[in-house]
Amino acid sequence: MSTKILVTENLTVSFGGFKALNQLNFSMDVGELRVIIGPNGAGKTTFLDVITGKVRPTEGQVTFKNHRNLRKLSEYQIAQLGIGRKFQTPRVYPKLTPRENLQLACDRPKAVFPSLFGQSSPASRQTVQGLLDTTGLVAKADLPAQYLSHGEKQWLEIGMLVAQSPDLLLVDEPVAGLTDEETVLTGELLLSLAESHSIIVIEHDMEFVRQIAQTVTVLHQGSVLCEGTMAEVQANPQVIEVYLGSPAESAPSRVQVG
Ligand code: ADP
Ligand code: MG
């Protein structure tokens, strides 16, 4: 039996009676890269909000590793357990270089003082160099981050998350607004991170989902509609109906979903 990193049971979030999540049951294994898709309003972002403690569930619970019921913990405590979240808009320090941004991220939880006083330990410098390599930012390492492209800023922020050594990375729409080339590179970055992390990616760009997806979960009206490989999901009549709003019989057998 494989070990689960994340399990949700009957997870429900009501906003004044409207159920953004409705009895959502979800689980994923340690080391898995899972892609979540679904129409606008399906509850994808709310799902990440509940996992990270930004929104409290009305019913049900989230289990992360062996921590049952995260409900009692603050957002900060949940992050400390090992969940890192990448928001859609990059949050990097524009006047600092990628190297400095990564240095701050490496030092953040353990020791703030060394970087404030301009010193850094050889161990963390090594990590910063490794992160620059991983994120493909070696050539731009010493340029203020404000001069990076949108894609490069996204990679930098992913690097800053990875610097915190999270066990589970949550990534919301990482390729929105990126060029085709940046999109492919982002896929390669996530695939390489997936070798040593459990990752949930929420995404609309179906070319991108095809590039990275092993298992896809489709959310609809706050519940799991179906789960499987990309091919299985695209051939699922219910998925086709949800995306096209038409009877399955009259819909094409393969469809672009997002
Ligand atoms: P997705 O990310 O899949 O597009 P969301 O999780 O953002 O969907 O939203 C799911 C539903 O919940 C939407 O109908 C949205 O309008 C509603 N919703 C999300 N957050 C709130 C909130 N704070 N108050 C009221 N309704 C909300
Ligand atoms: Mg969303």
Side-chain angles (χ1 to χ4, degrees):
M1 204 183 93
S2 44
T3 319
K4 299 291 178 194
I5 188 152
L6 185 73
V7 177
T8 76
E9 293 161 88
N10 302 325
L11 200 59
T12 300
V13 172
S14 297
F15 292 117
F18 171 77
K19 289 182 176 171
L21 297 184
N22 190 0
Q23 301 284 319
L24 178 64
N25 292 298
F26 173 91
S27 76
M28 67 181 268
D29 293 338
V30 170
E32 224 192 302
L33 169 62
R34 181 69 66 92
V35 179
I36 299 181
I37 63 172
N40 270 336
K44 303 181 297 295
T45 298
T46 304
F47 183 56
L48 297 191
D49 288 344
V50 176
I51 295 170
T52 55
K54 189 176 172 198
V55 164
R56 301 285 146 185
T58 313
E59 268 179 66
Q61 64 184 350
V62 179
T63 301
F64 172 63
K65 297 190 289 190
N66 56 347
H67 303 278
R68 207 165 158 72
N69 208 349
L70 301 188
R71 175 194 292 267
K72 295 164 239 149
L73 304 181
S74 70
E75 264 188 279
Y76 176 74
Q77 288 171 318
I78 292 172
Q80 292 293 100
L81 292 181
I83 299 182
R85 179 176 190 176
K86 163 84 184 72
F87 287 88
Q88 205 173 323
T89 326
R91 298 173 170 192
V92 302
Y93 297 100
K95 297 223 170 6
L96 300 184
T97 66
R99 193 187 304 282
E100 290 163 341
N101 271 284
L102 289 168
Q103 185 67 60
L104 275 178
C106 283
D107 291 344
R108 200 177 289 145
K110 308 142 218 156
V112 176
F113 286 78
S115 71
L116 283 182
F117 293 105
Q119 301 152 3
S120 50
S121 69
S124 76
R125 235 180 276 129
Q126 174 69 32
T127 312
V128 168
Q129 195 56 47
L131 289 166
L132 287 168
D133 278 334
T134 306
T135 52
L137 292 172
V138 172
K140 307 257 174 110
D142 299 305
L143 194 71
Q146 60 191 331
Y147 300 119
L148 300 180
S149 72
H150 183 54
E152 289 164 341
K153 283 182 195 146
Q154 299 281 20
W155 306 332
L156 176 56
E157 201 195 352
I158 291 172
M160 291 168 72
L161 278 182
V162 170
Q164 309 274 302
S165 308
D167 298 310
L168 175 63
L169 264 171
L170 308 175
V171 188
D172 202 350
E173 300 194 28
V175 301
L178 300 198
T179 65
D180 289 351
E181 194 193 347
E182 286 175 333
T183 298
V184 170
L185 290 171
T186 303
E188 287 170 6
L189 172 58
L190 290 172
L191 286 171
S192 84
L193 293 176
E195 290 168 13
S196 48
H197 297 81
S198 309
I199 308 182
I200 294 179
V201 179
I202 289 183
E203 193 45 65
H204 281 281
D205 180 324
M206 282 303 119
E207 270 310 308
F208 179 72
V209 172
R210 244 175 250 117
Q211 182 194 346
I212 65 165
Q214 291 139 22
T215 307
V216 179
T217 298
V218 185
L219 287 195
H220 176 53
Q221 296 179 347
S223 302
V224 174
L225 183 70
C226 81
E227 218 163 71
T229 64
M230 189 66 187
E232 286 165 354
V233 159
Q234 280 184 298
N236 182 298
Q238 279 181 297
V239 174
I240 295 168
E241 188 176 342
V242 162
Y243 274 93
L244 296 185
S246 60
E249 302 81 68
S250 63
S253 63
R254 292 183 73 79
V255 63
Q256 294 279 318
V257 294

